[in-house]
């Protein structure tokens, strides 16, 4: 008589659950012990006590500065940027759990191991709002719905994530503007205008 093997859970579901477990590892503040890279761009990780301050000073401001230096920043965006800075404390939670993050989580930065588990590669690690990892997964098309359902079952998201997702992805859009040029300008402008 043949033995029936127990079926294994689908990969994307276990990946979603696993990411939620990873995000449960919490730090004391927002940042990391050292700076690192996001793609080829430097990523500042100076510790901060509140999340909007960290996100502005160490994510948005440096990318904008480099875009200006490269001649990729439009002066007309400055008024929207100033309004966004003023609104950031109302748009982002002050002290969400400081989760350990991959930092650059898209479909090209994970692999499947021989035993069917997810292996994360090329991290831009720091402690921050876990929603930033999930937002990045959705920037270029997203993962399968089973991934998100499993993540939310393991650790539900706070209301308003869909709005914050666009704001968190502004960091990656400006980074891509710096790395790859003007093809990302329309996305940067659209996001700035939306939150200004």
């Amino acid at each position: 008589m043949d033995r029936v093997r127990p079926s294994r859970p689908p990969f994307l579901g276990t990946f979603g659950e696993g990411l939620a477990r990873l995000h449960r590892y919490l730090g004391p503040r927002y940042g990391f012990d050292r700076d690192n890279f996001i793609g080829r761009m430097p990523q500042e990780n100076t510790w901060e006590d509140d999340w909007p301050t960290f996100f502005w000073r160490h994510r948005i401001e440096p990318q904008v500065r480099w875009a200006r230096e490269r001649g990729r920043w439009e002066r007309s965006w400055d008024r929207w940027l100033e309004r966004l800075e003023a609104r950031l404390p109302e748009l982002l939670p002050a002290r969400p759990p400081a989760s350990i993050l991959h930092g650059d989580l898209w479909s090209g930065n994970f692999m499947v191991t021989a035993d069917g588990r997810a292996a994360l590669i090329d991290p831009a690690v720091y402690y921050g709002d876990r929603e930033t990892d999930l937002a990045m997964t959705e920037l270029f098309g997203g993962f399968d719905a089973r991934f998100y359902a499993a993540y939310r079952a393991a650790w539900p998201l706070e209301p308003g994530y869909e709005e914050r997702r666009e704001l968190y992805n502004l960091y990656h859009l400006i980074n891509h503007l710096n790395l790859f040029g003007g093809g990302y300008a329309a996305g940067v402008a659209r996001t700035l205008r939306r939150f200004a």
Side-chain angles (χ1 to χ4, degrees), residues 109-122:
N109 279 347
F110 78 88
M111 299 174 11
V112 183
T113 64
D115 62 353
R117 293 182 295 155
L120 301 179
I121 60 172
D122 195 21

Side-chain angles (χ1 to χ4, degrees), residues 4-18:
V4 176
R5 291 184 181 177
S7 62
R8 289 174 47 185
F11 166 75
L12 287 167
T14 57
F15 183 16
E17 291 170 9

Side-chain angles (χ1 to χ4, degrees), residues 125-167:
V125 69
Y126 66 100
Y127 290 96
D129 186 347
R130 65 194 173 107
E131 291 180 352
T132 60
D133 263 356
L134 291 172
M136 179 61 179
T137 68
E138 296 188 71
L139 182 57
F140 299 118
F143 293 178
D144 186 276
R146 289 170 292 178
F147 169 85
Y148 300 105
Y151 185 98
R152 288 175 189 246
W155 193 0
L157 297 175
E158 295 297 321
Y161 162 71
E162 288 73 17
E163 184 83 359
R164 290 185 298 275
R165 172 185 62 205
E166 305 309 312
L167 181 52

